[in-house]
Amino acid sequence: MTNLREQYRQFGISDEVYDYGEQILTGLVDRFAKIDETAEYNQLKVIRAMQQCRVSESCLLGTTGYGYNDLGRDTLEQVYARVFHTEDALVRPQITCGTHALALALMSNLRPGDELLSPVGKPYDTLEEVIGIRPSRGSLKEYGVTYRQVDLLADGSFDYDGIRAAVNEKTKLVTIQRSKGYQTRPTLSVARIGELIAFLKKIKPDVLCMVDNCYGEFVETTEPAEAGADMVVGSLIKNPGGGLAPIGGYIAGRKDCVENAAFRLTSPGLGKEVGASLGILPSFYEGLFLAPVVTASALKGAVFAANVYEKLGFDVLPDASEERHDIIQAVTFGTPEGVIAFCRGIQEAASVDSFVVPEPWNMPGYDAQVIMAAGAFVSGSSIELSADGPIKPPYTVYFQGGLTFPHAKLGILKTLQHLIDAGKASLPCRPL
Ligand SMILES: *Cc1c(COP(=O)(O)O)cnc(C)c1O
């Protein structure tokens, strides 16, 4: 008999907190089985794509210099195209992050005089400067691309009338963000994205539909291109990198759209032909191979956290029983101390930088202090266990990631221990 309880004691987890966690987990057996089934489906999908593309040992070698005839790079892009059900893909370490991938997809497929539409409300913070919603040098706005936005209705549904009125002869590209990111709107399922795209294509058949797929990959068994998206875009230091990719982004989609992106990333005339992969391909391949199970671990962590905190009386989003479409979990603590205690718990569970004590700080671009917990093998990777929150009402923490479920579980138990020690949470007096 292994003594797990004793292992947790070594981490400062009291028997009461440990027992409470075990009790919560007992109620999650069916949820976890469903998540495992999705992971299994997606694991087979990835393996099959690699087999069909004849991934070989020589694909793991890299090129230098111009990177002509980079077999591993070109094959990986075909693997991504199969996994995401698209004609082609651009998967490169030269795409530095998710924002860069999204900016690239937009800037390469829009021309002066075109209009960009977001029918799902305000896009992710960093895109405000890409689009020019907040004035910024080099924004789409500076290049004569206009922007329109239609917010979701109060109940989270699409404002179809508003969208119909917003589409006009200039509307060239529609951007749809799958994940709620750090907003309170619901995350969109692939099915709902499909409904929206069908509606848009009926109004304007040639409009390009791009999905910001960040945090959504492998959460379901289908991906947005299967629901009609012309491009899906994301970051390799989130779900599809499986925690191993140390950098990178992808754009999967229609051949002409991907080609436009390639001509913009490298140069007109060169496109996908150049871009040495250096030594990075093993991490891209192995990361994608692991991604379905890593995403499942992060999802289990999010579901566990929602259940741990909802049953203690805190507001959680999504709630404890809701179906998931991304890996982000929000918990509202109502006090700055709650947010701080949570982040310190996550940090203390890390393998890297566990001894660092996170403090709220004045982060550029934010109107309140922000606290962040991240002890990651890949700097800033949010598929690894991480949490952050602004120090302002209603004092909500956003939590995501966990390369393995045991790590996510340790992190969440540590957060609860911190909250209890700080007097900001208490366990139910009776068993649930
Ligand atoms: C993370 C994220 C981005 C931006 O990605 P970075 O890699 O941080 O630049 C864009 N959209 C959504 C929904 C995200 O979650």
Side-chain angles (χ1 to χ4, degrees), residues 96-102 123-127 177-182 185 212-216 233-238 248 326 328 380 382:
T96 56
C97 62
T99 304
H100 186 191
L102 289 157
Y124 197 75
D125 257 18
T126 55
L127 285 192
Q177 187 178 308
R178 179 172 175 179
S179 165
K180 65 181 167 307
Y182 302 110
R185 71 155 171 94
D212 175 352
N213 212 21
C214 283
Y215 286 133
V233 181
S235 162
L236 298 200
I237 64 167
K238 293 180 179 171
D326 69 13
I328 301 174
S382 48

Side-chain angles (χ1 to χ4, degrees), residues 75-292:
T75 304
L76 180 72
E77 291 180 335
Q78 289 318 302
V79 171
Y80 262 72
R82 276 190 190 265
V83 167
F84 288 97
H85 287 256
T86 56
E87 290 175 359
D88 202 357
L90 189 66
V91 186
R92 303 283 169 125
Q94 288 86 7
I95 301 177
T96 56
C97 62
T99 304
H100 186 191
L102 289 157
L104 185 60
L106 292 172
M107 295 185 159
S108 60
N109 282 287
L110 288 160
R111 294 290 179 271
D114 288 341
E115 189 160 280
L116 168 68
L117 170 68
S118 172
V120 296
K122 191 179 88 65
Y124 197 75
D125 257 18
T126 55
L127 285 192
E128 291 187 15
E129 285 175 273
V130 172
I131 296 168
I133 300 171
R134 269 187 284 146
S136 184
R137 269 194 284 172
S139 69
L140 284 165
K141 190 175 177 188
E142 273 198 353
Y143 284 90
V145 174
T146 53
Y147 172 71
R148 235 176 244 260
Q149 175 178 316
V150 180
D151 291 337
L152 295 174
L153 296 175
D155 65 355
S157 62
F158 300 126
D159 178 2
Y160 284 119
D161 292 336
I163 295 169
R164 192 183 292 106
V167 174
N168 60 63
E169 68 286 349
K170 285 171 55 184
T171 313
K172 169 77 179 297
L173 199 156
V174 177
T175 179
I176 302 166
Q177 187 178 308
R178 179 172 175 179
S179 165
K180 65 181 167 307
Y182 302 110
Q183 293 173 267
T184 51
R185 71 155 171 94
T187 288
L188 303 177
S189 66
V190 172
R192 286 195 69 204
I193 290 172
E195 287 161 26
L196 180 57
I197 292 174
F199 178 79
L200 287 157
K201 297 264 182 186
K202 209 150 84 192
I203 305 174
K204 190 162 188 185
D206 61 347
V207 76
L208 289 175
C209 293
M210 178 188 94
V211 173
D212 175 352
N213 212 21
C214 283
Y215 286 133
E217 298 94 347
F218 302 121
V219 172
E220 299 181 49
T221 53
T222 57
E223 296 292 337
E226 293 164 79
D230 300 295
M231 275 190 286
V232 289
V233 181
S235 162
L236 298 200
I237 64 167
K238 293 180 179 171
N239 309 14
L244 292 186
I247 191 171
Y250 75 91
I251 299 170
R254 240 169 58 182
K255 198 167 183 53
D256 58 324
C257 297
V258 172
E259 227 157 39
N260 280 339
F263 287 135
R264 172 88 191 201
L265 175 66
T266 64
S267 152
L270 298 180
K272 292 183 82 182
E273 302 300 318
V274 296
S277 59
L278 306 173
I280 214 156
L281 289 172
S283 69
F284 280 16
Y285 276 105
E286 196 174 345
L288 179 65
F289 170 79
L290 293 175

